[in-house]
Amino acid sequence: MLLFHVFSSFIINIQIIKTWKTSTYSSLNTYGKKIIDYLEYFNTPEFIQSSMRNYAYYTGIERGYEYYSPNASNKQTKIIFRNNNIPVDLPGKTFESKFKINSVFTILGGQLENEGFRNRVIQSMSVRLFTLNPNINHMDVSIVKKEFPSLGEIQKGKPIRIEESTVYNINKN
């Protein structure tokens, strides 16, 4: 089983690296371009590629090392848009799209401390929300920060710290 796992990881990585030929080839150095050019000769039959992809999805190895050793932050920052104190739904309709939006907040949580970056994110999101909700003319934007204590601190009774602040009042025009 270990050999199969190693073999499938090898096949998957080669297929991913080969996609760089069409996406990021011009930004690679000479050595990287030579490797990708050499890998063009390594052709794997489609049924093997398909079965390796399915195995990768099943085991989680298509996500890389983050699957095996997640580096979870003890902080979470979320942006909430409200119209008359009622939260405005973000533009995700399916579970997957809502999960992706929440993941972005987790990934960018520390970045939202930077006022310039935060302004660009909120501006972009508010334009989209106003477009999706033409009946809304005003939104209040809040930043909710959560800080999670360690397991040892939780056992000693330390609570999750939640801080919410309204940072923007945005009008449609």
Side-chain angles (χ1 to χ4, degrees), residues 1-115:
M1 188 65 168
L2 177 63
L3 289 176
F4 183 75
H5 187 76
V6 170
F7 178 71
S8 65
S9 296
F10 181 72
I11 296 294
I12 291 164
N13 284 318
I14 286 176
Q15 296 308 316
I16 289 170
I17 291 170
K18 285 172 72 172
T19 64
W20 294 350
K21 178 100 177 181
T22 57
S23 62
T24 59
Y25 189 77
S26 62
S27 64
L28 294 173
N29 63 23
T30 307
Y31 184 70
K33 289 177 181 177
K34 285 181 182 180
I35 289 175
I36 290 177
D37 291 339
Y38 174 75
L39 289 176
E40 287 297 314
Y41 298 108
F42 186 81
N43 293 320
T44 309
E46 182 59 36
F47 76 94
I48 291 177
Q49 290 180 32
S50 175
S51 61
M52 293 300 128
R53 259 191 315 273
N54 290 335
Y55 177 75
Y57 292 138
Y58 177 73
T59 59
I61 60 176
E62 91 285 358
R63 290 178 270 171
Y65 290 110
E66 68 186 41
Y67 177 78
Y68 297 106
S69 60
N71 188 13
S73 173
N74 67 334
K75 296 178 183 177
Q76 179 188 41
T77 304
K78 192 171 187 178
I79 301 173
I80 298 176
F81 294 85
R82 290 190 179 97
N83 177 33
N84 296 326
N85 277 339
I86 299 170
V88 177
D89 288 332
L90 295 176
K93 293 194 181 355
T94 65
F95 172 79
E96 181 181 7
S97 60
K98 288 179 182 180
F99 182 75
K100 286 179 181 179
I101 290 169
N102 286 328
S103 296
V104 166
F105 284 133
T106 302
I107 293 167
L108 297 178
Q111 304 275 342
L112 292 173
E113 298 294 325
N114 177 317
E115 188 176 351

Side-chain angles (χ1 to χ4, degrees), residues 81-83 88 122-141 169-173:
F81 294 85
R82 290 190 179 97
N83 177 33
V88 177
I122 289 174
Q123 180 184 15
S124 175
M125 291 177 74
S126 62
V127 167
R128 181 71 177 142
L129 290 172
F130 279 132
T131 302
L132 292 173
N133 301 287
N135 57 330
I136 295 177
N137 293 316
H138 175 80
M139 286 189 289
D140 296 317
V141 183
N169 299 305
I170 301 175
N171 291 316
K172 192 175 208 172
N173 296 326

